[in-house]
Amino acid sequence: MTASPALGPAERPAGLSPQRVRSLLIGLIAFLTLADLFAAQAILPALARAYAVAPAAMGLAVNACTCGMAAASLGVAVAGRRLDRRRGIVASLVLLTLPTALLCAAPDLTAFALLRVAQGLCMASAFTLTLAYLGEHCGPSLAASAFAAYVTGNVASNLGGRLLAAGAAEHLGLGPTFLVLAGLNLAGAGLVAVGLTHATALVPMPPVRRAALATLARHAGNPRLLAAFAVGFCILFAFIGTFTFVAFVLARAPFGLDQMALGLVCLVFLPALATTPLAGRVVPRLGPRRALRLGLVVAGAGLPLLLASHLVPLLAGLTLVAAGTFFAQAVATGSVGQAAEGDRGAASGLYLAAYFAGGLVGSIVLGAVFDRFGWPACAAGIGAALLAAGCVGARFDGRD
């Protein structure tokens, strides 16, 4: 029997339906979990100047968190069945405050990158356990909207985290910015502790390693899950490549945006806040295959505009890429719970391991391309990743 995550009666705001409260709660948890992931991207040029390194090196250090996220996601996939979801999420967010706060005093790029890896370990543990919780406590009729709400919170963290980091860096400096972000992590832990009142424990399973390996092998042999894993890899590959290195493009001539203006560029995520929740309604009508294709086509339509020499069309291109990739991510994330044959927590962990690995590989590959060949070649690599996602997504079940 499943229960939908919601606030308890005493905490439920008057006038809001249980479904709206549930979506708001899920979105806020996602926002406070992932704000650290994207906030540093808003201050990339300033960080590169502070550490006196090239864009590719700083981009890799900032995105090193995806390495920790991939490792933690895989770890939760193997051992997550034994973890109490609610307590695990709270512990992950509390621990996340430590490396986040220490970033304010990182002495060199190596220390900065290692702290970002530690952040990734904590963020992904919370992220994966939350997705597992949603898959296990939401019935089939609620799953699509629940996952869409979580990805919407992800979008909001892109917007709010970047704006907050840009504003804090402008007025307080780079160091205090990370202390502000650590405060968000603590707020997230408190919200989960109070809000997830229905996070009941799972039925205990024998701690047999072979059982965990058998579960992973079963998931690895599921063509629909493998397709979702590959799509997730390609989506974050493209997203990281776009929003990491475009900051350096916008900081240079002919744009020459300052720190605060670079932060305001993240307003391109606003339309995605409206379109991403639609994935929960579009998938039942079109099927996951067509819905995924729709998101990827929208993202692909924005790529030519990224090469514009004027700000308005470039921002329009970023808006399309953001809206399309987040919509596609919501479709792919929701399909994992539907395609998994038992232990959805392990399936979610494997998906996120592939997803974050795509971000790390995208940072490495597209960073090298950007440094050596420039922004147009980087945009071509982004397009190739979106095309690959569309080809692999043909394995999704859906109506054609």
Side-chain angles (χ1 to χ4, degrees):
M1 186 155 180
T2 60
S4 62
L7 295 174
E11 297 90 0
R12 184 176 298 139
L16 291 180
S17 68
Q19 182 174 354
R20 285 183 180 275
V21 173
R22 183 186 66 245
S23 296
L24 178 62
L25 172 65
I26 293 168
L28 280 173
I29 291 172
F31 176 89
L32 296 169
T33 299
L34 298 173
D36 297 315
L37 175 61
F38 306 109
Q41 292 185 350
I43 53 177
L44 262 172
L47 287 169
R49 288 192 298 270
Y51 287 99
V53 295
M58 197 68 242
L60 179 58
V62 164
N63 293 315
C65 58
T66 58
C67 178
M69 295 181 96
S73 299
L74 190 59
V76 174
V78 173
R81 183 77 188 182
R82 303 171 205 168
L83 298 177
D84 179 279
R85 304 310 195 208
R86 178 170 169 267
R87 291 178 182 174
I89 299 167
V90 171
S92 298
L93 292 175
V94 170
L95 289 174
L96 177 57
T97 64
L98 300 178
T100 304
L102 288 173
L103 280 169
C104 72
D108 52 39
L109 194 65
T110 300
F112 186 96
L114 291 174
L115 288 171
R116 287 291 283 173
V117 172
Q119 278 188 305
L121 289 168
C122 299
M123 280 189 283
S125 297
F127 190 98
T128 308
L129 288 171
T130 304
L131 287 183
Y133 169 78
L134 295 178
E136 291 154 356
H137 291 79
C138 291
S141 62
L142 299 175
S145 62
F147 284 114
Y150 198 75
V151 176
T152 302
N154 186 347
V155 180
S157 69
N158 264 276
L159 173 59
R162 290 169 194 262
L163 275 176
L164 181 64
E170 181 79 13
H171 298 291
L172 303 176
L174 289 175
T177 297
F178 294 106
L179 297 179
V180 172
L181 293 171
L184 291 184
N185 304 148
L186 278 179
L191 179 63
V192 172
V194 174
L196 291 189
T197 56
H198 295 290
T200 54
L202 298 176
V203 177
M205 292 185 69
V208 180
R209 184 175 301 175
R210 271 188 255 174
L213 294 177
T215 297
L216 296 182
R218 183 169 66 252
H219 290 328
N222 185 328
R224 290 179 61 197
L225 280 180
L226 290 178
F229 300 161
V231 167
F233 180 98
C234 293
I235 288 174
L236 197 59
F237 183 105
F239 183 88
I240 288 288
T242 302
F243 289 97
T244 295
F245 301 106
V246 76
F248 293 99
V249 174
L250 292 170
R252 300 171 179 171
F255 305 106
L257 300 187
D258 60 23
Q259 183 58 67
M260 198 61 217
L262 283 174
L264 291 174
V265 167
C266 69
L267 292 174
V268 298
F269 296 115
L270 277 176
L273 282 172
T275 59
T276 302
L278 295 177
R281 285 178 258 174
V282 171
V283 169
R285 296 182 182 181
L286 298 182
R289 192 172 0 178
R290 281 185 175 177
L292 176 71
R293 196 176 299 160
L294 173 63
L296 294 174
V297 167
V298 170
L303 291 181
L305 298 175
L306 299 185
L307 305 180
S309 58
H310 297 284
L311 186 60
V312 172
L314 193 152
L315 292 179
L318 291 175
T319 301
L320 290 172
V321 172
T325 52
F326 277 118
F327 185 93
Q329 183 197 351
V331 175
T333 304
S335 72
V336 171
Q338 299 299 315
E341 297 173 359
D343 201 343
R344 293 184 178 90
S348 294
L350 289 173
Y351 169 77
L352 290 174
Y355 177 74
F356 293 122
L360 179 63
V361 173
S363 179
I364 295 171
V365 172
L366 294 179
V369 169
F370 181 81
D371 272 359
R372 186 167 181 180
F373 302 106
W375 179 238
C378 185
I382 294 163
L386 294 175
L387 180 61
C391 293
V392 175
R395 301 293 300 271
F396 281 17
D397 282 351
R399 298 189 299 271
D400 287 323

